Amino acid sequence: FGSGKTFCGSLLGVLLALKYPQIKGLVGAQTYPLVRDTTLRAYFEHLDAMNLSEGSDWQFCKTERVLRFKNGSEIMFRHFDEPDKLKSLNLGFAQIEEMSDVPKSVFLMLLGRLRQRVMPSWRGFQYRLFGHTNPEARKGWIYDTFVGNPSPNYRLIIAPTTQNVYLPKGFVEELRKSYDEDYFAQNVLGQWVDNDEALVVKGFGGQNVRNLDYDERLDLHLTCDFNVDPMAWIVAHKTDKKVYFIDEIVLENTTTALAMDEFIRRYPHHKGRLVINGDASGDNRTCTSEFTNYSLMLRKLALHGYNDVSVEIRNFNPPIKNRITAFNTLIRSSAGESRIFVDPKCEKLLYNLK
């Protein structure tokens, strides 16, 4: 993170386009928004830094997604979701953004596209296929290809975040506090981490389990999973930095209404604010009720005198790997700090964590 991978990769693409007139390049990622929002932006920044003017030195055609130079060079920006559409290309170079998100089949397909006719003026020219990525969470095809058994003309460059002298002061230390040990080693130090690679929850231990007290004056968070068998809700207090799971409501073969009744039975006189968190899909209409799960809960709570209630959910669920990383960072950061604590009576939660 922040080591300059995209900066270097896009700079190489610009230099190749300027050095070898009429070269054809391809820049791609698994999705086009990733190419557009990161790599393409870096290309524009390099062109501006070189004082190359849009319109006279280069131009970008949005409809074709092609960057054209006045010397005849062209760089196409594409996604790899449909690699068969790229098989007719003849390229001088190809660049892959977030290489670990791309299957090996795409890498091999691009190798076969490096076949553009070499111009007589291209002295010292070499076909190039280059990419940048964070080390894979598991040692996959990139590790096998560039570390385990590399060909003579394959090269791997490790760029730890710690070696970028242009980052803000304290940037790395803040990441050390925020990430769990494996995530920090992988994405900051650039190490190939495969210890506990099969685990979803990492670093969980006795430091995360303690007897916790319920305080009726504090905000109470009700975190909801709406599976019917079982339906599992966790009750928590939290601060800006720490989460305290004090109770769980786990019912088999049930409904949202019955789970809500159980919550009201356990916490009938709560004086603080009640915050409902949960899956974004909980706001979808179900086939058994005209109300969403959350609106049903709000109606039940209002009928029982809960006045200060809010629903705080996202419009969509973040990617799974982002959620796992955020959770593990709270379980135990790379600095050894734990910010999630679970009461022993949360038996099902502890079972799943372990």
Side-chain angles (χ1 to χ4, degrees):
F1 292 161
S3 65
K5 301 182 300 296
T6 301
F7 179 96
C8 293
S10 54
L11 178 58
L12 177 56
V14 171
L15 294 177
L16 291 173
L18 294 175
K19 183 176 182 179
Y20 302 110
Q22 300 182 52
I23 195 172
K24 307 298 181 186
L26 172 69
V27 179
Q30 193 61 22
T31 64
Y32 183 71
L34 179 59
V35 180
R36 179 194 61 211
D37 298 339
T38 57
T39 326
L40 180 57
R41 182 175 297 178
Y43 270 82
F44 291 154
E45 291 173 354
H46 286 310
L47 294 170
D48 289 340
M50 294 175 178
N51 293 320
L52 298 175
S53 301
E54 183 177 4
S56 56
D57 297 312
W58 61 272
Q59 61 180 3
F60 181 71
C61 179
K62 289 185 178 180
T63 56
E64 298 179 48
R65 300 174 182 175
V66 175
L67 179 62
R68 293 188 172 95
F69 295 79
K70 68 177 182 180
N71 66 357
S73 295
E74 293 185 353
I75 303 177
M76 296 171 285
F77 295 82
R78 298 288 189 270
H79 66 80
F80 296 139
D81 197 35
E82 298 177 284
D84 288 344
K85 293 185 178 180
L86 306 175
K87 287 187 175 180
S88 61
L89 298 177
N90 297 319
L91 302 173
F93 73 87
Q95 175 184 353
I96 305 175
E97 176 74 52
E98 289 298 343
M99 204 165 177
S100 60
D101 291 340
V102 175
K104 186 177 181 179
S105 59
V106 171
F107 173 78
L108 296 176
M109 180 273 295
L110 290 176
L111 279 178
R113 307 281 77 74
L114 297 178
R115 59 192 185 190
Q116 182 182 0
R117 184 171 65 88
V118 177
M119 303 295 178
S121 61
W122 292 2
R123 295 183 180 179
F125 173 80
Q126 289 182 320
Y127 294 107
R128 294 174 186 257
L129 172 54
F130 53 97
H132 25 90
T133 185
N134 297 310
E136 297 167 288
R138 300 185 181 186
K139 292 180 179 178
W141 73 266
I142 296 177
Y143 181 88
D144 293 339
T145 304
F146 289 90
V147 181
N149 187 30
S151 299
N153 59 330
Y154 282 35
R155 181 165 60 136
L156 174 70
I157 300 173
I158 300 294
T161 309
T162 52
Q163 293 182 1
N164 188 347
V165 299
Y166 297 99
L167 291 172
K169 184 178 180 180
F171 181 83
V172 173
E173 284 308 310
E174 189 61 33
L175 297 184
R176 189 188 304 275
K177 295 176 184 177
S178 301
Y179 298 153
D180 66 70
E181 294 180 63
D182 284 351
Y183 197 78
F184 182 84
Q186 175 184 326
N187 294 291
V188 178
L189 302 181
Q191 299 175 1
W192 297 91
V193 177
D194 62 354
N195 293 330
D196 299 331
E197 66 175 26
L199 297 181
V200 174
V201 178
K202 299 181 181 181
F204 183 81
Q207 77 278 358
N208 300 103
V209 182
R210 62 175 65 171
N211 293 317
L212 302 172
D213 295 324
Y214 161 63
D215 191 327
E216 63 182 10
R217 299 164 299 177
L218 298 178
D219 289 356
L220 193 64
H221 287 256
L222 181 58
T223 72
C224 304
D225 176 20
F226 295 104
N227 293 327
V228 296
D229 192 18
M231 186 172 294
W233 295 358
I234 310 298
V235 183
H237 289 313
K238 72 180 292 292
T239 66
D240 289 341
K241 295 185 177 181
K242 296 181 180 180
V243 184
Y244 303 88
F245 293 119
I246 63 173
D247 195 8
E248 65 181 10
I249 298 173
V250 180
L251 303 175
E252 297 182 0
N253 194 26
T254 190
T255 64
T256 302
L258 292 176
M260 194 75 260
D261 289 340
E262 177 62 19
F263 170 80
I264 293 170
R265 184 188 69 79
R266 295 190 195 185
Y267 301 94
H269 306 298
H270 186 68
K271 294 181 173 59
R273 187 170 66 113
L274 178 61
V275 182
I276 299 174
N277 307 123
D279 196 300
S281 64
D283 204 31
N284 295 332
R285 294 181 180 272
T286 66
C287 59
T288 58
S289 172
E290 62 179 312
F291 304 106
T292 67
N293 286 309
Y294 294 123
S295 61
L296 186 152
M297 294 171 70
L298 291 173
R299 285 167 55 86
K300 278 261 186 184
L301 290 167
L303 289 173
H304 287 79
Y306 291 78
N307 297 317
D308 193 359
V309 182
S310 62
V311 177
E312 297 181 4
I313 59 172
R314 292 174 178 259
N315 293 328
F316 60 91
N317 292 323
I320 291 176
K321 64 179 181 180
N322 293 17
R323 285 180 269 168
I324 291 174
T325 298
F327 188 78
N328 282 330
T329 298
L330 295 179
I331 289 289
R332 183 181 175 88
S333 71
S334 61
E337 180 185 9
S338 296
R339 290 185 283 166
I340 278 182
F341 304 98
V342 184
D343 191 281
K345 67 172 168 284
C346 299
E347 296 179 359
K348 297 296 185 183
L349 175 58
L350 288 172
Y351 173 81
N352 281 277
L353 289 171
K354 293 175 181 179

